[in-house]
Each structure stands twice: as C-alpha cells, then as structure tokens.
Amino acid sequence: MKSLRIEEYGGVDVLQWKESPQPQPGPHQVLIKVDAAGVNYADIMRRQGNYPGPDLPATLGLEAAGTITELGSDVADGRLSVGQKVMAMGPQGQAEYVAVNANFVFPYPDGIDPIHAGGMPITFLTSYHLLKSRGALQAGDTVLIQAGASGVGTIAIQLAKEWGARVVVTASTEDKLELCRSLGADVAINYTETDFEDEIKSLTDGRGVPLVLECVGGPVLEKSVRCVASYGRLVSYGNASGQPANLSAADITTLNRSVIGFSMGRSPIGSLDHQGAMQELAPMIMDGRLRLIVDRVLPMAQAPDAHRHLASRGTRGKVILTP
Ligand SMILES: NC(=O)c1ccc[n+]([C@@H]2O[C@H](COP(=O)([O-])OP(=O)(O)OC[C@H]3O[C@@H](n4cnc5c(N)ncnc54)[C@H](OP(=O)(O)O)[C@@H]3O)[C@@H](O)[C@H]2O)c1
C-alpha cells in the first residue's frame, strides 16, 4: 500500500507518498481501508519535528475515514463490523490503510459524505471537549473563539451557537470573517485592523467574557487572558504562532481567572468520553446543524500543496486528502 511518509523532519519536500508496509490490526484495533484523511495544523508541526508521534520513518495523519476490512482479535463488542463505514481518530491515517484503536472508531450512517467524514473527527471532538468538557460552556455565555475560520474554529462556532452561546470570533481577513458570520458568529473581529482586547472590553462593558478558546499563543494568548471575565476560563489548546507567551500572575489572580490546557492527543485513554461526544454530535451532523467546512480536497500525492496552504494561513475550514 501507499502512505504519506516522512523519514526526516523538515520542509514540505520531506513528504513522500510512497510504498510502505500495510499495518496489521493489533488485538484492540480495526483495520480501515481509507477513503479520505483530514489535514490538521498538527501535521505541519509533526513534519517540522515539533509534535510528538511514532519514531521516524513514520506515516503522517491524525484522522481518517473509510471501510473496516478487519477486526483485531479482542474487538468483539458488536459495535464494529467488517464492511462498516467509519471515521476514526489516531496516528498514521494519511495512507491507503490505517489500524486504529477501536475506542477511537465511530461508525457513521449513510448521508454523510465519505470524503468529508475523513475531516470530521478531530475538529468535531476538539470543539466538543473545548466547549463542554474543559470550557464548561453554559447557555447564555459569551465565548471568544480565536482563529474562527480555522478547521476547529468553524465547528466550535456552530456548536457554541447550538448550545445557546453568544459567539465572538477573530480572523485575519474579511473573507474569513464572512465565513464565521455565515456559521452564526454574532461578532467577527478583524484583529489585523482592530485591537481585539479593546473590542471585547467595549462589547462587555469592561467585564470580559466567561470563556475564551485560544490556539495562537504568544502575544495573542497574553491578550486573550485579559479578555476573560472574573471567574471565567481560557482554554489554551494550541500555539500556531510558535511564539512563547509571558503570562502575568496579576492578570490571572486578581480576577480569579482560570487558564486551562487542552491536548486531545495527549489525554490518557479513557479520560475523555469520545464515544458519548460523537453520539451527542451525530444528530446535529445528520440534520445539518453542524457542517464541516471543506476548503479543498487534494490527492495525497499533493500533500506538499496542502501543507503550504495551511502554513500560509490560506485555509477556511478543512483540507482533506484522498489516496
Ligand atoms: N489541543 C488539541 O487537542 C488540538 C486539536 C486540534 C487542533 N489544535 C490546534 O488548534 C489550532 C487550529 O488547528 P486547525 O487544524 O484547525 O488549524 P488551521 O485550520 O490550519 O487554522 C489555523 C489558523 O490559525 C491562525 N493563525 C494565527 N496565527 C498564526 C500563525 N502564526 N501561523 C499559522 N496560523 C496562525 C490562522 O487564522 P487567521 O489567518 O485568521 O489568523 C490560521 O488559519 C492549531 O494551533 C492546532 O495545533 C489543537
């Protein structure tokens, strides 16, 4: 079979769509013939050597969708079967076949586009856990979502609205802001023209917001902490800027703010209820209340173009690769 391999860390030229050994499912895994696999910002960091994963040489990818072709010896709870269409979260999904732990495999019904399914697990589950499991969002809360037009941001906007929140987003271009508004964002701030911290203060009579979802890091994280209301929460879940942040204790303690970390990939197995989350999300996906925003679909052999596009901040929603 073919897979998207890296043998060393570096620029896009280290990406190789090439023959590699087909994985065998372990006792708790299923083997999936892949229809499509989403590209995440973490794939860029992994290619650069800034994100954990199996030793090199390795196959890239954190999610995929396809058809189950084989069950591991201990996968026998009746939930999964050969021939079933599933989406899955786990490493090495950008390949013709992937073996994934059954806990991270989600059957999906007819009606979901099999190509779109490949880009759903990470954005949908990340948004769910950011807002609910870690962010404890309540109906009526205002939530500030940084990078609203990102893969995660486009789902988090829709889910927060579905759960009764008022949504404020930031993005860098009018095109991205328009997308966020079309997904339900109540206020969309172009942070390249307007200081988002000032804007949040003026929108909330100086109080700040109960919840901020932050993935840019550096000065954006520093300013975002000051957008949190008294006893509110900021969930830090990424560092797309690659810049260090200098958080001030005074900014955190004086207003009893909480700064919470979230890494889905580094959460111990069992600590997050992914199956329950997907069951709660499924009706919203099926009736169109939650829709995946697909920026483009490319063949795996064009993964370098996908990485360039993401790294240049050109995307709106998800990029998906097909074998
Ligand atoms: N913790 C977790 O479990 C988890 C899971 C999924 C994703 N993440 C993180 O969530 C973030 C979004 O992921 P994604 O796959 O949805 O990303 P994406 O679609 O590639 O979007 C990233 C966006 O971040 C914004 N950005 C701001 N400063 C940037 C910079 N210096 N370089 C690149 N982008 C910058 C850009 O939007 P503007 O142009 O509008 O600024 C960019 O489009 C990433 O930081 C990722 O690592 C974390």
Side-chain angles (χ1 to χ4, degrees), residues 41 126 150-152 171-172 176 191 215 237 240-241 262-264 313:
Y41 197 79
T126 301
S150 64
V152 173
S172 62
K176 289 184 175 186
Y191 68 86
C215 63
Y237 70 104
S241 69
F262 178 65
S263 168
M264 195 158 61
R313 303 159 72 160

Side-chain angles (χ1 to χ4, degrees), residues 185-201:
D186 299 281
V187 180
I189 303 169
N190 186 333
Y191 68 86
T192 67
E193 294 171 355
T194 308
D195 184 301
F196 71 82
E197 186 183 343
D198 290 346
E199 192 68 16
I200 289 289
K201 294 280 158 59

Side-chain angles (χ1 to χ4, degrees), residues 39-42 44-45 51 62 122-123 126 130 146-154 170-173 176 191-192 214-216 220 236-243 261-267 309-319:
V39 184
N40 290 282
Y41 197 79
I44 292 175
M45 296 165 70
Y51 193 86
L62 294 171
I122 296 280
T123 48
T126 301
L130 285 173
Q146 300 288 8
S150 64
V152 173
T154 50
T170 65
S172 62
T173 66
K176 289 184 175 186
Y191 68 86
T192 67
E214 207 299 289
C215 63
V216 178
V220 175
S236 167
Y237 70 104
N239 188 19
S241 69
Q243 293 181 276
F262 178 65
S263 168
M264 195 158 61
R266 280 162 279 193
S267 296
H309 189 41
L310 249 79
S312 69
R313 303 159 72 160
T315 52
R316 298 156 79 253
K318 283 297 283 202
V319 175

Side-chain angles (χ1 to χ4, degrees), residues 284-307:
M284 297 185 234
I285 300 171
M286 288 310 294
D287 67 16
R289 280 175 287 159
L290 288 186
R291 62 187 173 97
L292 188 78
I293 304 304
V294 178
D295 180 275
R296 64 189 60 181
V297 179
L298 294 170
M300 299 255 183
Q302 286 183 31
D305 293 336
H307 277 227

Side-chain angles (χ1 to χ4, degrees), residues 10-195:
V12 294
D13 46 352
V14 303
L15 298 168
Q16 304 178 63
W17 176 241
K18 63 183 290 197
E19 285 298 326
S20 54
Q22 182 166 318
Q24 297 301 311
H28 299 284
Q29 293 183 319
V30 302
L31 186 66
I32 298 169
K33 183 174 191 311
V34 172
D35 291 327
V39 184
N40 290 282
Y41 197 79
D43 294 320
I44 292 175
M45 296 165 70
R46 170 84 174 128
R47 188 200 77 219
Q48 295 169 334
N50 299 322
Y51 193 86
D55 290 341
L56 300 189
T59 297
L60 284 188
L62 294 171
E63 62 184 344
T67 307
I68 296 182
T69 58
E70 199 176 331
L71 300 180
S73 54
D74 291 345
V75 181
D77 62 3
R79 194 177 63 86
L80 301 174
S81 57
V82 170
Q84 208 171 21
K85 283 286 192 191
V86 290
M87 53 181 90
M89 189 167 63
Q92 320 216 44
Q94 291 167 2
E96 289 178 321
Y97 287 86
V98 62
V100 185
N101 185 306
N103 288 322
F104 302 122
V105 176
F106 314 96
Y108 70 84
D110 289 345
I112 292 182
D113 182 321
I115 304 299
H116 288 201
M120 287 182 171
I122 296 280
T123 48
F124 282 78
L125 290 170
T126 301
S127 299
Y128 179 98
H129 292 305
L130 285 173
L131 290 166
K132 191 166 193 172
S133 315
R134 302 293 277 157
L137 181 80
Q138 303 293 316
D141 281 351
T142 298
V143 56
L144 168 63
I145 301 174
Q146 300 288 8
S150 64
V152 173
T154 50
I155 303 301
I157 293 169
Q158 299 173 71
L159 194 51
K161 289 305 294 178
E162 202 50 43
W163 283 338
R166 179 183 185 220
V167 175
V168 182
V169 298
T170 65
S172 62
T173 66
E174 187 47 43
D175 191 38
K176 289 184 175 186
L177 295 167
E178 193 44 50
L179 171 66
C180 296
R181 287 187 203 101
S182 76
L183 296 172
D186 299 281
V187 180
I189 303 169
N190 186 333
Y191 68 86
T192 67
E193 294 171 355
T194 308
D195 184 301

